[in-house]
Amino acid sequence: MGRRRLVVANWKMNLTTPEGCSLVEAVLGTAKQRPEVDVVVCPSFVSLQPLGRSLAHTPVALGAQDVFWLGKGAYTGQVSPRMLVDSGCRYCIVGHSEARGRFGSEPPRPLSYFSDTDETVAQKVSALVFANIVPILCVGETALERQDGRTDEVVAEQLAKALERVAPEECSNLTIAYEPVWAIGTGNVCDADEAARMCGLIRDEVASITDSACGDQVRILYGGSVKASNCAEIFANSQVDGALVGGASLIADEFSKIVLSA
Ligand code: PEP
């Protein structure tokens, strides 16, 4: 069976719960027109429970933007995989460049609270797989890494480390998002052929880290300044299984067009 297209809205730290509830009404209308596309919205932690109730038994799935890897305990401010399941989450973004402290639109700042490392990302991926939540694992190079010709090496290393704790037979649900850091929130979308090349490289890497069945099954999204006006070109290549959308997912009409184009 072929891979289903997937479009994920990453609302980041932008919407209150009432704002999210009204946006999701529009998303639901679009998702119903495209039953062959999987649609996921990822609101902030505080909106997960109410949106989980609104989205139960609908074609739009709920995702979180991050997770902590342990089950419970004295970890002030953290949210466990079990709490995500309890809120109705089926997906979770993990290793987003912003959570790793790698920002596309701003110069490096000493923001030590955005402190994901390859090791914490690996812990999170493994905890999500154990909880039966689909990890949407983000990988991607900075502008400087690309300029230095290190793109393929950086992405391959991020993948190898993130998947270190996952057995091949646990990979059936895995989703990867190729998100060049320099494209996130900057308006500088990656060239469609290059995005497709990177998605192909990621598929080959996943196959070599796990096995060829997993390489075939894994869904690989492109993320970074996707808009209604540029998504058709990105979706045209069969290596790209969908998109992770930030800014444009906050505008009902833009996001609907992206879902309809997928
Ligand atoms: C993202 O943050 O995952 C993202 C892709 O953002 P944007 O679409 O705004 O570039």
Side-chain angles (χ1 to χ4, degrees), residues 13-35:
M13 197 181 70
N14 284 301
L15 302 179
T16 62
T17 298
E19 288 165 348
C21 286
S22 75
L23 182 53
V24 98
E25 284 303 317
V27 176
L28 261 174
T30 310
K32 284 178 186 156
Q33 293 175 53
R34 268 282 188 274

Side-chain angles (χ1 to χ4, degrees), residues 10 12 96 98 179 183-186 223-226 244-248:
N10 177 10
K12 310 193 186 188
H96 191 281
E98 289 158 9
E179 296 217 307
I184 295 180
T186 59
S225 296
V226 173
L244 176 53
V245 187

Side-chain angles (χ1 to χ4, degrees), residues 101-116:
R102 286 153 65 87
F103 287 83
S105 56
E106 298 168 38
R109 289 173 293 158
L111 292 172
S112 54
Y113 36 84
F114 297 116
S115 56
D116 256 339

Side-chain angles (χ1 to χ4, degrees), residues 34-98:
R34 268 282 188 274
E36 68 277 28
V37 176
D38 290 338
V39 180
V40 179
V41 294
C42 302
S44 75
F45 282 138
V46 294
S47 299
L48 287 176
Q49 285 277 358
L51 277 174
R53 281 193 289 273
S54 314
L55 293 176
H57 314 297
T58 75
V60 175
L62 187 69
Q65 297 176 16
D66 202 357
V67 69
F68 189 59
W69 57 89
L70 293 175
K72 65 189 290 189
Y75 305 104
T76 303
Q78 302 304 312
V79 172
S80 71
R82 207 164 59 101
M83 292 168 179
L84 298 187
V85 171
D86 181 50
S87 304
C89 280
R90 288 173 33 214
Y91 293 79
C92 181
I93 295 170
V94 58
H96 191 281
S97 55
E98 289 158 9

